[in-house]
Every structure is written in C-alpha cells, then in structure tokens.
Amino acid sequence: LGILCPGQGGQTPDMLDILKGEPAAQVVLDAAAETMGVDPRRLVAEQPEDLHRNAVAQPLLCAAAVATWTALRPRLAPVRAFAGYSVGEL
C-alpha cells in the first residue's frame, strides 16, 4: 500500500467534508487551528478566496493530509511507501 499526498492546487471549500464524521481527524484539525491561528474547517467554508495563497494553502494541505491519514491509518494494511508532490512531500 502506498499513500500519495497532494500538493497545492486541489484545495476546495468542501475538501474537509469527508473528515466530518472522523473523531481522530477532528483532533488533528483542532491542533491545526491552534497552530494556524484559524480553524481550517472555518477557513475553507468562509474564506475560499484565500485557499490558494501559499501562506494558507500549505498549512491547510498539511493539516488535511495528516487528519486524513490519522482517520485512515487504523483501517489500512501497513503502508510500504509515502510520496507527495510539492508540500505533499512533507
């Protein structure tokens, strides 16, 4: 199993919707809100015009990737490789 994390360009106002029912992901997004100074869930819903600014997009994409991985990890077989494009490499 390999995990590929995206780089910038795929940010949308609904990009975090898939994580709404995932408690573990919400913990990550709560921590991201503290670090970023703005809740990523609120950011995507209320400030979509900012989603492609580097200062917003990069931390947002990192938070989304970590939150998604946190939700998926217990359900998946061991991962053999991680890869990413641009900020997704982190």
Side-chain angles (χ1 to χ4, degrees):
L1 177 64
I3 303 293
L4 178 61
C5 301
Q8 288 178 237
Q11 310 89 285
T12 63
D14 63 348
M15 67 185 279
L16 300 175
D17 287 356
I18 196 167
L19 301 173
K20 284 183 179 173
E22 299 293 337
Q26 298 310 308
V27 172
V28 172
L29 294 174
D30 290 342
E34 251 183 73
T35 302
M36 294 172 65
V38 62
D39 191 313
R41 294 158 288 210
R42 207 174 107 225
L43 179 68
V44 297
E46 297 175 10
Q47 296 173 264
E49 68 279 0
D50 289 337
L51 297 184
H52 294 279
R53 289 189 316 108
N54 281 346
V56 172
Q58 292 183 357
L60 177 61
L61 286 164
C62 288
V66 172
T68 302
W69 171 240
T70 301
L72 288 174
R73 185 177 177 185
R75 300 177 182 144
L76 298 176
V79 175
R80 306 257 323 181
F82 275 93
Y85 174 73
S86 185
V87 74
E89 292 176 30
L90 297 176

